[in-house]
Amino acid sequence: MKGGSERLSRRRLFTSESVTEGHPDKVADQISDAILDGILVQDPVARVAAECLVTTGLAFVAGEITTSKSIDIPDIVRSTIAEIGYLDSRLGLDAMTCAVITSIDRQSPDIAMGVDTGGAGDQGMMFGYATRESPELMPLPIVLAHRLTKRLAQARKSGEVGWLRPDGKSQVTVEYDGEEPVRIRAIVVSAQHDEEISNGEIHRTIREAIIEPVMPEGLIDPKLTKIHINPTGRFVTGGPHGDAGLTGRKIIVDTYGGMGRHGGGAFSGKDPSKVDRSASYAARWIAKNIVASELAETCEVQLAYAIGVAEPVSVLVDTRGTGRAPDHELEAAVRRVFDLTPLGIIEALGLRRPVFKRTAAYGHFGREPEADGAFSWERCDRVEELKSALG
């Protein structure tokens, strides 16, 4: 009996969520990062902190931008909203007719004094995480949740499911036996839809066209897996018309779905001199290389900085008991292999390029590195150096 109870005690459930690019907070994130990209095209060393609020018929952009170039912010806002799919006033936001208001100042010279010499743009702590439970070296619940929302967008934009509207959410609950995912216990999909579609049609189509194509069959248990589709029964009013959206409100969706810790700083709209963004990318880069090198099954990395200071004030490697070497030895190896100054991170990952709008929906991590440098922090390019540093 004791062995059976110990076995049961190893069982646990973990849930993560994702949202589509038409979710109001994600609309705001994409606008902020589109503005950042638009500026970086002309001025790779610009200082940008662009925040956005979207609501019915309105997009409001504020922040601090220091650049020698000029860009048409309203045009970027409208083209981003149109690309997402808000092209009809009946959806509460029409890219062509919505109001666009801007209030932009320059970066504080007090901050610039520290950043111009290579220091961090702010204090703070940033986390990165990696685990062997999925091919992406990401927690499985967030990987599966993103698959669902990406599939919603794909089916809508291709016309395969013509009654879908841009807003949507997913949630996936995975059952673990110890650290091993053994089944999916719950799937939630909430999809914004046209008014005339019946609930029966919504449920059938979401199951057949959205859930079944992207969920791993081996983890679905017909008896235990619960599937909830539009649980309230109706989701016509959505997007910025249903809820105001703000840049930076989906930081757990953006990262590890809650499985790894988060330092609290959002990413979108911030140029890479802000360690909220660049050091979070570096921490993921480190953690992923440690796991990819088989030096640990799971790894969490924390970096911490003081404003205006280049070197991190602390580096923490936590393998949660799965490391092939003691954590303090891995920390020493990380310091030898990675330049963790803000300028070192920016140069190593090529973060002066306009690659950030693509990160603003469906997660900043667990994506394939792209030829132009997007998602460069997902490269497993320091595996051999880490092994050598450990002797």
Side-chain angles (χ1 to χ4, degrees):
M1 290 295 293
K2 183 179 178 181
S5 64
E6 287 178 353
R7 178 78 175 175
L8 288 173
S9 69
R10 289 167 48 86
R11 297 278 172 148
R12 60 189 176 92
L13 303 180
F14 196 91
T15 302
S16 295
E17 70 162 346
S18 178
V19 297
T20 66
E21 62 211 62
H23 184 280
D25 294 329
K26 279 289 138 203
V27 174
D29 283 341
Q30 288 165 95
I31 289 171
S32 293
D33 270 339
I35 291 169
L36 172 62
D37 279 357
I39 293 170
L40 290 179
V41 167
Q42 301 186 63
D43 185 1
V45 295
R47 303 281 164 71
V48 182
E51 310 282 349
C52 183
L53 177 149
V54 290
T55 187
T56 304
L58 170 67
F60 183 88
V61 178
E64 298 78 44
I65 298 176
T66 302
T67 179
S68 59
K69 307 296 182 179
S70 62
I71 63 165
D72 188 337
I73 288 178
D75 184 63
I76 291 175
V77 171
R78 294 185 190 283
S79 63
T80 303
I81 293 171
E83 184 180 325
I84 293 168
Y86 288 109
L87 293 163
D88 190 328
S89 60
R90 290 174 297 179
L91 299 179
L93 189 67
D94 183 342
M96 299 302 107
T97 62
C98 69
V100 179
I101 301 173
T102 62
S103 179
I104 304 294
D105 288 321
R106 295 176 63 84
Q107 183 185 60
S108 163
D110 297 340
I111 297 174
M113 286 173 56
V115 179
D116 290 344
T117 58
D122 202 351
Q123 71 175 42
M125 62 282 187
M126 300 83 203
F127 289 92
Y129 185 81
T131 174
R132 298 199 68 82
E133 68 187 63
S134 72
E136 297 87 350
L137 302 186
M138 287 283 288
L140 187 60
I142 190 67
V143 169
L144 298 181
H146 284 322
R147 285 186 192 175
L148 289 167
T149 50
K150 284 189 281 189
R151 177 62 188 144
L152 279 172
Q154 180 187 37
R156 172 177 61 88
K157 290 183 171 183
S158 69
E160 180 183 347
V161 183
W163 45 260
L164 282 170
R165 291 181 176 181
D167 199 356
K169 290 183 175 185
S170 71
Q171 189 171 280
V172 177
T173 300
V174 173
E175 180 182 346
Y176 288 80
D177 183 358
E179 301 303 315
E180 185 74 20
V182 293
R183 67 172 58 84
I184 297 169
R185 288 295 295 267
I187 297 170
V188 182
V189 177
S190 295
Q192 188 188 16
H193 56 86
D194 289 348
E195 198 161 3
E196 66 275 9
I197 302 301
S198 69
N199 280 339
E201 174 69 7
I202 291 168
H203 281 240
R204 181 189 64 79
T205 303
I206 294 297
R207 276 180 176 269
E208 295 179 0
I210 306 300
I211 296 173
E212 291 177 6
V214 300
M215 289 293 101
E217 289 184 11
L219 294 180
I220 299 287
D221 187 322
K223 294 181 178 179
L224 291 178
T225 303
K226 304 294 183 184
I227 297 178
H228 304 278
I229 298 169
N230 284 15
T232 67
R234 182 177 173 85
F235 188 5
V236 174
T237 301
H241 184 43
D243 292 290
L246 291 171
T247 300
R249 278 208 302 205
K250 285 290 175 283
I251 58 176
I252 300 303
V253 171
D254 285 341
T255 53
Y256 308 102
M259 187 75 80
R261 286 177 284 192
H262 197 295
F267 304 154
S268 290
K270 295 177 181 177
D271 77 83
S273 73
K274 280 75 171 173
V275 285
D276 277 344
R277 182 167 220 159
S278 55
S280 293
Y281 291 171
R284 162 65 177 173
W285 183 36
I286 295 166
K288 187 174 183 182
N289 274 269
I290 288 173
V291 173
S293 66
E294 299 186 352
L295 294 172
E297 295 295 307
T298 296
C299 183
E300 185 175 71
V301 173
Q302 186 201 53
L303 306 175
Y305 293 83
I307 188 168
V309 179
E311 291 289 341
V313 298
S314 70
V315 177
L316 172 71
V317 174
D318 182 2
T319 62
R320 300 181 180 176
T322 70
R324 306 290 189 270
D327 288 350
H328 71 273
E329 292 184 13
L330 284 168
E331 288 169 18
V334 165
R335 285 186 177 272
R336 288 194 290 272
V337 170
F338 295 89
D339 180 350
L340 296 176
T341 64
L343 287 179
I345 293 168
I346 289 168
E347 291 177 6
L349 297 179
L351 298 181
R352 292 294 185 191
R353 290 174 281 191
V355 297
F356 296 107
K357 184 182 173 186
R358 276 168 276 175
T359 70
Y362 313 115
H364 293 245
F365 307 121
R367 313 274 289 269
E368 284 294 318
E370 297 183 11
D372 65 351
F375 305 101
S376 57
W377 47 94
E378 293 295 314
R379 299 187 311 235
C380 296
D381 56 353
R382 299 295 174 93
V383 167
E384 296 306 319
E385 290 179 68
L386 281 168
K387 289 179 178 179
S388 297
L390 281 168

